[in-house]
Amino acid sequence: MKKKVIMVLGATGFLGSHVCELLKGQKYKIVKASISAGQDFLNFENTYKFFKRIKPDVVLNCASFGGSVHHVMKNPALVIKNNMLILINLYECASKMKKKPFIVNAMANCSYPHKLDVQKEKRWLDGPVHNSVYSFGNITRMKYFVSKGYFDQYKVKSINLIFGGIYGPGDHLVDNRLHAFDGIILRMVKAKLENLKYFSIWGSGKPIREWIYVKDAAKAMVKALKIKKTILEPINVSQKLVLSINKIAQITKKALSFNGVIKHDRSFQDGAFKKVLAREKSFLKNFPKFTFTKFDVAVKDTVKYYLNELIKLKK
C-alpha cells in the first residue's frame, strides 16, 4: 500500500520541527517544506512545481512569520505580506491538485477579540483584535476565511486549531523574535551566565496569557490527522495553563537558581491584558484522552535547552 504523503510546511521552524519529530517512524512519507530547506512558498510558481512533484495527501501548516508582540509591532507590513503570500500560495496550489490535500492550520489566540477575558469559540469574531498585534492577529484570522473560501469553491478540506502562546525547546535564539515565555527564559539564562545582578521584564509583567508546551501543540497537529470530517470553525486547544508574565519570570528564576533582582522596563508596551482560551466540547470531542505534558517537566526541558544552546555559543 502506498504511504500517505504528509507535507509539513514550516518544517524547520519552532512548531514544525517538533511535528516532524513526532511523525518519525509512523507509516507516512514525510516531506519537509520551508524556505530554509529550499521551498520558497512566497513564490507561487516554485510552490506549484513543488506541489505537482510531491502530490501531498495532507499539509500540516506550521508556517508562521511572526514572533513577539514587539517584533510584530515593528514589522506589520512584512508580517502581513509574508504570511498572506504563504497562505494564498498554499491554498491556490492545493485547489489545482487533482487529489486535493487535507490541510491542518495552526492558529494563534491573538486572533480573538481583545476585549474577551475568556476566549470562547462562538465569540471568535465578536470584535477587533488588540491593536498591538493587529497585523499578526488579523492575518491569523485570514487562515479561517481563506480555508472557508477554498472549501466553498474548490472543496479543499481544512481543520483550524487555535493555540495559546507556545513555549519550549527549539525556538529562536534572538530575543525580540520570541514570545514572552521563551523570551524570558532566554534572557534570564543570559543574565545568569553573565552574572548580572538584575533582570528586566519588558513592560509591566501584568498581562495574563494561555500557554501550551510546543510538544503538546505538535501532538495536537498530528492527532488532527485522525479527524475525518472538515471542521473549518476554529478549535481551541487548551489545558487551562494560565500565567502572567511576572509569574513566568518567578518560575524561571527558581528553575535557573538565578539570584538577580527582577525589575520592569516600562518603555516597552504591554499587549492585551488577558488572553485565556476556553476549553470547549469541540476539543474534548475531537481529541479524546489527549494528555498534556506536566508543567514542571516542560519548564525544566525548556530551561535546559536554552542553557545548553547559550553555553555552546560562548565556547
Side-chain angles (χ1 to χ4, degrees), residues 25-196:
Q26 297 196 34
K27 296 180 181 180
Y28 304 117
K29 178 182 177 181
I30 312 305
V31 177
K32 298 180 180 181
S34 67
I35 290 176
S36 60
Q39 292 82 41
D40 185 3
F41 269 65
L42 299 175
N43 181 291
F44 176 76
E45 290 184 2
N46 290 344
T47 303
Y48 188 43
K49 288 178 182 177
F50 186 65
F51 259 77
K52 288 196 294 183
R53 179 167 60 87
I54 299 302
K55 296 181 176 62
D57 296 297
V58 178
V59 179
L60 299 181
N61 181 17
C62 304
S64 176
F65 187 86
S68 70
V69 62
H70 312 293
H71 178 75
V72 300
M73 286 175 67
K74 289 180 180 178
N75 302 280
L78 198 59
V79 167
I80 291 169
K81 184 190 79 170
N82 285 0
N83 282 296
M84 199 69 223
L85 282 172
I86 291 169
L87 183 62
I88 289 297
N89 287 342
L90 166 61
Y91 273 88
E92 189 65 13
C93 289
S95 73
K96 293 180 180 298
M97 302 300 291
K98 185 176 181 181
K99 182 181 179 183
K100 296 171 176 55
F102 168 57
I103 300 173
V104 181
N105 288 310
M107 299 170 63
N109 71 328
C110 64
S111 57
Y112 266 97
H114 72 91
K115 290 186 178 180
L116 290 184
D117 286 339
V118 179
Q119 298 170 329
K120 296 183 178 181
E121 292 165 356
K122 66 181 180 181
R123 300 195 62 191
W124 180 60
L125 294 174
D126 287 0
V129 304
H130 195 271
N131 190 56
S132 64
V133 288
Y134 78 87
S135 59
F136 193 71
N138 283 308
I139 207 69
T140 297
R141 285 184 172 188
M142 285 305 298
K143 288 184 179 180
Y144 164 73
F145 289 111
V146 170
S147 67
K148 180 173 171 56
Y150 276 80
F151 176 73
D152 289 344
Q153 187 168 345
Y154 299 110
K155 301 307 175 189
V156 177
K157 297 180 179 180
S158 303
I159 286 179
N160 296 306
L161 304 180
I162 294 187
F163 300 110
I166 300 178
Y167 73 97
D171 207 345
H172 296 285
L173 295 177
V174 181
D175 298 13
N176 67 353
R177 290 296 305 276
L178 292 169
H179 289 290
F181 209 136
D182 282 350
I184 284 174
I185 292 175
L186 172 68
R187 292 191 300 109
M188 198 176 290
V189 167
K190 286 182 177 179
K192 180 179 176 65
L193 292 176
E194 295 170 12
N195 295 313
L196 299 183

Side-chain angles (χ1 to χ4, degrees), residues 244-264:
S244 71
I245 309 302
N246 285 328
K247 183 65 175 178
I248 290 168
Q250 293 296 335
I251 290 169
T252 304
K253 181 178 179 179
K254 182 178 180 181
L256 264 176
S257 298
F258 176 63
N259 295 320
V261 176
I262 294 176
K263 293 188 173 183
H264 295 84

